[in-house]
Amino acid sequence: MVEKGKTAPDFELPGDDGKSVRLSKLKGGIVVLYFYPKDDTSGCTREAKDFTELAPRFKKAGAEVFGISPDSVASHDKFRCKHDLSVRLLSDEEKKVATAYGVWVEKSMYGRTYMGVERSTFVIDAKGKIAQVWRKVSVPGHAEEVLAAVKALKA
């Protein structure tokens, strides 16, 4: 289980812009990874819009924000364009990164169990360590809370 103070699991994933992102190449800056279940659903859209709205403030605080879901690169591109999102979206179709971060979990709805992404966010410091973790995220106000944690790292 990924937890505060531990080294963040490295990964390389394709982004919605066709360029891959390797976490270890981002050392020296703060990275925000937010895992979400599915493109273009109500909660996921709200979360992506909230992070997009605060993107300039994250950048000013020295942080890059990435959304990660099992959706395809094509799905991410369509989602980003439809909602004018500025955060980069990474495709984890094989669910390897979600598994490494402990967010690919058994869920249940209406008595049916299935595997899915538990909405979670991780802040990774400039040294590649997990600085903050949120699991089972409730979307309203979450992006602001993450921004406050990023600013606290810089203080």
Side-chain angles (χ1 to χ4, degrees):
M1 183 67 85
V2 173
E3 51 192 48
K4 198 171 175 177
K6 303 276 185 181
T7 299
D10 195 19
F11 63 83
E12 185 167 356
L13 289 175
D16 56 13
D17 57 2
K19 296 177 185 165
S20 287
V21 172
R22 185 173 223 21
L23 181 63
S24 57
K25 289 190 176 182
L26 301 173
K27 265 191 183 169
I30 298 168
V31 176
V32 174
L33 302 177
Y34 75 91
F35 289 84
Y36 66 98
K38 187 154 180 52
D39 287 343
D40 219 11
T41 55
S42 60
C44 298
T45 299
R46 179 75 265 144
E47 185 175 29
K49 284 183 170 185
D50 289 350
F51 276 111
T52 289
E53 186 179 314
L54 295 175
R57 292 170 63 192
F58 275 102
K59 186 175 177 135
K60 186 176 178 185
E64 284 191 72
V65 178
F66 299 93
I68 302 175
S69 87
D71 294 301
S72 68
V73 169
S75 174
H76 282 341
D77 185 50
K78 184 178 174 185
F79 180 45
R80 185 176 47 83
C81 290
K82 179 179 180 181
H83 296 286
D84 198 26
L85 304 174
S86 64
V87 292
R88 291 200 50 207
L89 304 176
L90 306 179
S91 176
D92 185 22
E93 287 186 274
E94 295 179 12
K95 297 136 190 116
K96 288 181 179 176
V97 179
T99 299
Y101 279 78
V103 302
W104 184 250
V105 299
E106 187 175 276
K107 300 169 93 175
S108 71
M109 187 185 306
Y110 308 120
R112 183 178 77 86
T113 60
Y114 61 97
M115 295 300 289
V117 172
E118 178 181 82
R119 191 181 307 278
S120 304
T121 302
F122 300 84
V123 174
I124 302 165
D125 69 18
K127 295 177 183 169
K129 302 275 188 199
I130 303 289
Q132 192 66 262
V133 177
W134 292 266
R135 295 192 182 272
K136 298 182 181 177
V137 166
S138 175
V139 172
H142 178 63
E144 290 87 352
E145 189 179 352
V146 176
L147 179 60
V150 165
K151 286 180 175 179
L153 276 179
K154 299 293 278 184

